[in-house]
Amino acid sequence: MSSNYNNLMNKSDFLAKYGLNLKIERIRNKLTQEELAEKVDCTAVHIGYIERGLKCPTVFQFLKIARALNLSLDEFFKEF
């Protein structure tokens, strides 16, 4: 296997990091979980699960969340 493959983070590490980034950006944008959920058409409970790394958003949800936070996907995932 290539060394690039070996350097990939596992799913739980990815979800934890994404969730933390989501929470930071949500707070930076002065949004509650409820307000963000309304913008991306899901529930506040689901946003909470994502922020805690317990759920993985769909690709479409990734895009909607980034847009709701005024970020491109590139900007949101720059640290990965």
Side-chain angles (χ1 to χ4, degrees), residues 1-42:
M1 288 188 190
S2 73
S3 61
N4 288 341
Y5 179 79
N6 292 330
N7 292 330
L8 292 175
M9 65 176 62
N10 65 41
K11 183 178 178 179
S12 62
D13 289 342
F14 171 83
L15 291 176
K17 184 171 177 118
Y18 176 80
L20 179 59
N21 287 352
L22 171 57
K23 184 175 184 175
I24 290 167
E25 290 299 328
R26 176 181 58 76
I27 292 169
R28 186 175 289 146
N29 280 269
K30 297 181 171 102
L31 294 171
T32 64
Q33 288 180 341
E34 291 81 8
E35 291 167 332
L36 179 59
E38 187 174 314
K39 287 178 176 276
V40 300
D41 196 30
C42 70

Side-chain angles (χ1 to χ4, degrees), residues 33-62:
Q33 288 180 341
E34 291 81 8
E35 291 167 332
L36 179 59
E38 187 174 314
K39 287 178 176 276
V40 300
D41 196 30
C42 70
T43 66
V45 171
H46 189 67
I47 295 294
Y49 285 149
I50 295 169
E51 287 184 356
R52 291 191 308 278
L54 301 174
K55 294 280 185 182
C56 183
T58 66
V59 172
F60 189 59
Q61 284 177 321
F62 277 123

